[in-house]
mmCIF file of all heavy atoms in Angstrom:
data_model
loop_
_atom_site.group_PDB
_atom_site.id
_atom_site.type_symbol
_atom_site.label_atom_id
_atom_site.label_comp_id
_atom_site.label_asym_id
_atom_site.label_seq_id
_atom_site.Cartn_x
_atom_site.Cartn_y
_atom_site.Cartn_z
ATOM 1 N N GLN A 25 10.301 -28.218 -14.129
ATOM 2 C CA GLN A 25 9.995 -26.897 -13.618
ATOM 3 C C GLN A 25 9.411 -26.077 -14.866
ATOM 4 O O GLN A 25 8.391 -25.340 -14.579
ATOM 5 C CB GLN A 25 11.227 -26.300 -13.169
ATOM 6 C CG GLN A 25 11.629 -26.822 -11.701
ATOM 7 C CD GLN A 25 12.962 -26.240 -11.329
ATOM 8 O OE1 GLN A 25 13.764 -25.695 -12.073
ATOM 9 N NE2 GLN A 25 13.332 -26.354 -10.045
ATOM 10 N N THR A 26 9.953 -26.282 -15.963
ATOM 11 C CA THR A 26 9.549 -25.462 -17.187
ATOM 12 C C THR A 26 8.056 -25.902 -17.502
ATOM 13 O O THR A 26 7.109 -25.059 -17.881
ATOM 14 C CB THR A 26 10.347 -25.750 -18.446
ATOM 15 O OG1 THR A 26 11.646 -25.303 -18.088
ATOM 16 C CG2 THR A 26 9.861 -25.046 -19.611
ATOM 17 N N ALA A 27 7.740 -27.211 -17.403
ATOM 18 C CA ALA A 27 6.345 -27.699 -17.727
ATOM 19 C C ALA A 27 5.405 -27.108 -16.633
ATOM 20 O O ALA A 27 4.229 -26.776 -16.998
ATOM 21 C CB ALA A 27 6.389 -29.129 -17.589
ATOM 22 N N ALA A 28 5.802 -27.034 -15.335
ATOM 23 C CA ALA A 28 4.984 -26.458 -14.321
ATOM 24 C C ALA A 28 4.610 -24.994 -14.568
ATOM 25 O O ALA A 28 3.479 -24.559 -14.381
ATOM 26 C CB ALA A 28 5.625 -26.629 -12.927
ATOM 27 N N ILE A 29 5.670 -24.250 -15.089
ATOM 28 C CA ILE A 29 5.469 -22.817 -15.318
ATOM 29 C C ILE A 29 4.540 -22.645 -16.455
ATOM 30 O O ILE A 29 3.671 -21.814 -16.424
ATOM 31 C CB ILE A 29 6.815 -22.184 -15.586
ATOM 32 C CG1 ILE A 29 7.625 -22.158 -14.196
ATOM 33 C CG2 ILE A 29 6.729 -20.836 -16.139
ATOM 34 C CD1 ILE A 29 9.167 -21.772 -14.455
ATOM 35 N N LYS A 30 4.724 -23.506 -17.503
ATOM 36 C CA LYS A 30 3.818 -23.352 -18.754
ATOM 37 C C LYS A 30 2.414 -23.659 -18.344
ATOM 38 O O LYS A 30 1.531 -23.117 -18.957
ATOM 39 C CB LYS A 30 4.421 -24.259 -19.783
ATOM 40 C CG LYS A 30 5.622 -23.762 -20.446
ATOM 41 C CD LYS A 30 6.032 -24.833 -21.664
ATOM 42 C CE LYS A 30 7.230 -24.132 -22.324
ATOM 43 N NZ LYS A 30 7.773 -25.016 -23.400
ATOM 44 N N ALA A 31 2.232 -24.591 -17.424
ATOM 45 C CA ALA A 31 0.855 -25.045 -16.998
ATOM 46 C C ALA A 31 0.247 -24.025 -16.074
ATOM 47 O O ALA A 31 -0.974 -24.198 -15.776
ATOM 48 C CB ALA A 31 0.835 -26.388 -16.396
ATOM 49 N N TYR A 32 0.979 -23.057 -15.528
ATOM 50 C CA TYR A 32 0.473 -22.125 -14.469
ATOM 51 C C TYR A 32 -0.726 -21.253 -14.992
ATOM 52 O O TYR A 32 -0.546 -20.774 -16.087
ATOM 53 C CB TYR A 32 1.562 -21.195 -13.967
ATOM 54 C CG TYR A 32 1.106 -20.198 -13.024
ATOM 55 C CD1 TYR A 32 0.995 -20.457 -11.678
ATOM 56 C CD2 TYR A 32 0.772 -18.894 -13.376
ATOM 57 C CE1 TYR A 32 0.629 -19.589 -10.761
ATOM 58 C CE2 TYR A 32 0.296 -17.944 -12.485
ATOM 59 C CZ TYR A 32 0.217 -18.310 -11.186
ATOM 60 O OH TYR A 32 -0.182 -17.439 -10.301
ATOM 61 N N PRO A 33 -1.745 -21.136 -14.239
ATOM 62 C CA PRO A 33 -2.076 -21.941 -12.906
ATOM 63 C C PRO A 33 -2.909 -23.140 -13.315
ATOM 64 O O PRO A 33 -3.876 -23.036 -14.049
ATOM 65 C CB PRO A 33 -2.817 -20.913 -12.109
ATOM 66 C CG PRO A 33 -3.554 -20.064 -13.099
ATOM 67 C CD PRO A 33 -2.706 -19.985 -14.373
ATOM 68 N N ASP A 34 -2.537 -24.211 -12.645
ATOM 69 C CA ASP A 34 -3.364 -25.405 -12.813
ATOM 70 C C ASP A 34 -4.135 -25.744 -11.572
ATOM 71 O O ASP A 34 -4.530 -26.932 -11.400
ATOM 72 C CB ASP A 34 -2.493 -26.661 -13.326
ATOM 73 C CG ASP A 34 -1.421 -26.923 -12.348
ATOM 74 O OD1 ASP A 34 -1.359 -26.368 -11.245
ATOM 75 O OD2 ASP A 34 -0.628 -27.843 -12.631
ATOM 76 N N LYS A 35 -4.212 -24.848 -10.550
ATOM 77 C CA LYS A 35 -4.914 -25.066 -9.321
ATOM 78 C C LYS A 35 -5.237 -23.703 -8.776
ATOM 79 O O LYS A 35 -4.901 -22.680 -9.353
ATOM 80 C CB LYS A 35 -4.106 -25.921 -8.349
ATOM 81 C CG LYS A 35 -2.825 -25.218 -7.907
ATOM 82 C CD LYS A 35 -2.107 -26.138 -6.857
ATOM 83 C CE LYS A 35 -0.743 -25.493 -6.459
ATOM 84 N NZ LYS A 35 -0.084 -26.259 -5.493
ATOM 85 N N GLN A 36 -6.064 -23.732 -7.690
ATOM 86 C CA GLN A 36 -6.466 -22.478 -7.074
ATOM 87 C C GLN A 36 -5.284 -21.574 -6.576
ATOM 88 O O GLN A 36 -4.385 -22.078 -6.150
ATOM 89 C CB GLN A 36 -7.330 -22.813 -5.913
ATOM 90 C CG GLN A 36 -7.924 -21.742 -5.057
ATOM 91 C CD GLN A 36 -8.774 -22.239 -3.980
ATOM 92 O OE1 GLN A 36 -9.882 -22.609 -4.147
ATOM 93 N NE2 GLN A 36 -8.222 -22.088 -2.747
ATOM 94 N N VAL A 37 -5.452 -20.276 -6.887
ATOM 95 C CA VAL A 37 -4.498 -19.299 -6.378
ATOM 96 C C VAL A 37 -5.102 -18.467 -5.180
ATOM 97 O O VAL A 37 -6.274 -18.168 -5.198
ATOM 98 C CB VAL A 37 -4.142 -18.291 -7.502
ATOM 99 C CG1 VAL A 37 -3.179 -17.167 -7.009
ATOM 100 C CG2 VAL A 37 -3.618 -19.042 -8.681
#
Side-chain angles (χ1 to χ4, degrees):
Q25 289 173 341
T26 300
I29 291 169
K30 286 182 178 179
Y32 176 85
D34 60 3
K35 61 181 179 180
Q36 178 178 287
V37 177

